[in-house]
Amino acid sequence: MPRPETAALISKYPARPFSYRRRTLHCDRTSLTALAAEHGTPLYVYSERHILGRLRLFQSAFAAVPHTVCFAVKANSSLALLKLLAAHRAGFDIVSGGELARVLRAARPAAKRTVFAGVGKQAPEIDAALSAGILLFNVESDSELDLIAARAQRAGIPARIALRVNPDVFASTHPYISTGLSAHKFGIDILAALALYRRAARSRWLIPTGISVHIGSQIREVEPFGAALARVRELIVQLKSDGVNLTHIDAGGGLGVEYEDLAFDPATAVRGYAAQILAATEGLGLHLLLEPGRFLVAQAGALLTTVLNVKQNGAKKFLITDAGMNDLIRPALYQAHHQILPVKQPAATQSNAPVDIVGPVCESGDFFARDRAFPAVKAGDLLAILDAGAYGMSLTSNYNTRPRPAEVLVTGAGHRLIRRRETHKDLFAPELP
Ligand SMILES: *Cc1c(COP(=O)(O)O)cnc(C)c1O
């Protein structure tokens, strides 16, 4: 029988803003029962205090050098969260024209702290980024470099560029979110980059400004980050002797969190990560860009859901919830583990039994946990799926014509709805029957 992971262990989760108070799970000082009563379920709940704490951890770990923390918008693209982060000096890492529009809507002045990555940038997206005055384009291929030059000429606005190099460094993570090997579609072969920088330097419309590297996501050993930058460093030195003087180095994102390990200490993780990056870039005199996504927001958020049904199928017991894979796809897509807690704290004497916690969507892949030791719950009870703040809401869909969940931000002053629940009318709006 696996270890129970509920009541007794919750006090060991300093990495999260969720804890039991008076036998009810709270986000900071706000009761999740109260939030569910006010806004219904499924409901994403985030802690403002926790997100700002993570941002500060990052900013203070790199305080010794000029740097900008550019939050990766795809991890959680809520306008309210972007606004919050921008107000605390964050910039942004975007991968589409839609994400650019979000940054402009949330915090127009943050455009100058925004970098644009992605292997399929299109002309209208490049045009919008040029006129918004973004910090730089992270260029992923030679043909894209030419496209950016052409659009810059057309707009009469020279484009600041960095080449995203592929360092061919292995980092252990799920294969869908690993990006730093030459077998992946991302980045430019580091050996080809030199010639491409020379080409950019000759163009009137391109300003070689930086160099960037991003080796993947949910990486928990810090050495690969240092190894990737060590390779980039060689190139910077070579460029300098060629007369190409860069001003920015972008170390990408990818620092992981522990979804399972109870002893995870985020401060230690950031310090180890910063030590690698600072050592590898020491003495270069470049402005450092960092692109954390998951690390800033994953553990600040939970998906709150109601148990609809407790169903026994032969030997197997299922808890069927009102949240489904369309609301949180990580378990189905990456076989990801999420801690799940009953909102009402179980008695210490209560024993656990294995259950599958599943959604109502018509797919067998629609599950949040399998064979999980869990205390007895009944229909109507609330569950909190932890560590859902990153790649949760941003990966939702309307599959099964299910409206997306609402989102609430718990703040120092209380809490506020930052996205209302979708209606059927919202879903039908683009259709032309
Ligand atoms: C996804 C992505 C990030 C953020 O990754 P996390 O694992 O969420 O930190 C940063 N930079 C680029 C280029 C990305 O594609």
Side-chain angles (χ1 to χ4, degrees):
M1 174 71 63
R3 287 273 300 137
E5 60 172 41
T6 53
L9 298 178
I10 188 68
S11 62
K12 294 186 187 166
Y13 280 69
R16 299 173 178 85
F18 298 94
S19 63
Y20 288 113
R21 293 165 184 265
R22 298 174 302 281
R23 310 203 69 78
T24 298
L25 197 61
H26 282 59
C27 176
D28 295 328
R29 300 196 163 269
T30 300
S31 152
L32 296 185
T33 307
L35 288 180
E38 188 175 341
H39 298 292
T41 59
L43 180 70
Y44 275 99
V45 180
Y46 311 108
S47 160
E48 176 181 277
R49 181 192 59 82
H50 183 95
I51 293 170
L52 293 180
R54 287 287 174 104
L55 177 63
R56 263 192 302 274
L57 267 186
F58 242 86
Q59 289 170 335
S60 59
F62 291 96
V65 299
H67 73 276
T68 306
V69 175
C70 297
F71 173 66
V73 172
K74 74 176 188 287
N76 189 319
S77 37
S78 154
L79 291 172
L81 297 194
L82 302 186
K83 197 167 168 179
L84 175 70
L85 290 163
H88 291 81
R89 294 183 291 125
F92 297 101
D93 164 50
I94 58 169
V95 293
S96 73
E99 289 190 351
L100 173 65
R102 282 191 175 273
V103 169
L104 296 179
R105 170 70 87 86
R108 184 75 184 67
K112 63 177 186 297
R113 302 191 297 271
T114 294
V115 300
F116 190 177
V119 295
K121 298 181 194 75
Q122 300 180 43
E125 297 176 315
I126 294 168
D127 296 350
L130 283 168
S131 75
I134 65 161
L135 176 57
L136 54 81
F137 292 86
N138 279 323
V139 178
E140 303 246 8
S141 67
D142 52 353
S143 54
E144 186 183 283
L145 189 71
D146 295 341
L147 178 62
I148 291 172
R151 301 315 294 183
Q153 178 169 20
R154 193 169 176 277
I157 307 170
R160 285 178 293 275
I161 59 107
L163 297 189
R164 175 175 176 180
V165 298
N166 187 319
D168 202 18
V169 163
F170 176 76
S172 172
T173 184
H174 190 281
Y176 288 6
I177 51 176
S178 175
T179 62
L181 283 175
S182 49
H184 300 130
K185 70 180 173 184
F186 298 97
I188 293 166
D189 182 328
I190 201 157
L191 300 172
L194 193 60
L196 219 48
Y197 271 112
R198 290 188 187 126
R199 184 154 129 203
R202 283 195 302 271
S203 165
R204 252 192 82 186
W205 298 104
L206 298 173
I207 307 170
T209 301
I211 187 159
S212 96
V213 68
H214 171 74
I215 55 175
S217 194
Q218 182 53 8
I219 296 166
R220 286 162 298 165
E221 35 179 16
V222 292
E223 291 75 15
F225 294 108
L229 284 172
R231 301 214 55 196
V232 167
R233 187 185 180 104
E234 296 164 24
L235 186 57
I236 292 171
V237 171
Q238 208 165 351
L239 283 167
K240 220 175 226 165
S241 71
D242 266 29
V244 180
N245 287 301
L246 304 178
T247 53
H248 288 70
I249 183 166
D250 183 341
L255 180 61
V257 300
E258 296 290 349
Y259 289 89
E260 296 183 59
D261 182 3
L262 306 180
F264 179 57
D265 172 15
T268 304
V270 177
R271 274 195 296 271
Y273 172 76
Q276 287 283 330
I277 288 178
L278 292 173
T281 56
E282 195 184 357
L284 288 173
L286 301 182
H287 187 106
L288 181 61
L289 301 173
L290 302 147
E291 302 174 348
R294 185 190 314 271
F295 192 86
L296 297 191
V297 295
Q299 297 186 301
L303 176 59
L304 195 55
T305 180
T306 302
V307 176
L308 299 175
N309 250 313
V310 180
K311 174 171 174 175
Q312 193 82 39
N313 254 5
K316 261 188 111 65
K317 189 165 142 191
F318 293 92
L319 306 184
I320 300 167
T321 61
D322 67 354
M325 65 189 289
N326 70 296
D327 303 308
L328 176 65
I329 204 172
R330 296 189 70 259
L333 189 59
Y334 310 120
Q335 295 78 47
H337 179 96
H338 284 268
Q339 301 284 2
I340 302 175
L341 297 172
V343 169
K344 199 178 298 160
Q345 186 174 23
T349 52
Q350 199 181 324
S351 63
N352 292 287
V355 295
D356 281 16
I357 302 175
V358 304
V361 170
C362 300
E363 299 263 348
S364 292
D366 181 25
F367 64 89
F368 296 117
R370 282 179 162 156
D371 285 323
R372 185 74 61 91
F374 212 73
V377 294
K378 57 185 189 317
D381 285 356
L382 293 166
L383 308 181
I385 305 174
L386 300 187
D387 301 337
Y391 306 105
M393 188 65 182
S394 62
L395 272 166
T396 53
S397 77
N398 294 121
Y399 188 41
N400 279 205
T401 306
R402 289 168 49 82
R404 286 184 173 77
E407 293 175 292
V408 163
L409 183 63
V410 172
T411 64
H415 57 86
R416 74 192 160 87
L417 191 65
I418 57 171
R419 181 185 167 111
R420 66 165 170 79
R421 188 173 305 286
E422 281 177 345
T423 63
H424 291 154
K425 204 171 154 197
D426 292 331
L427 270 52
F428 304 154
E431 295 192 34
L432 309 168

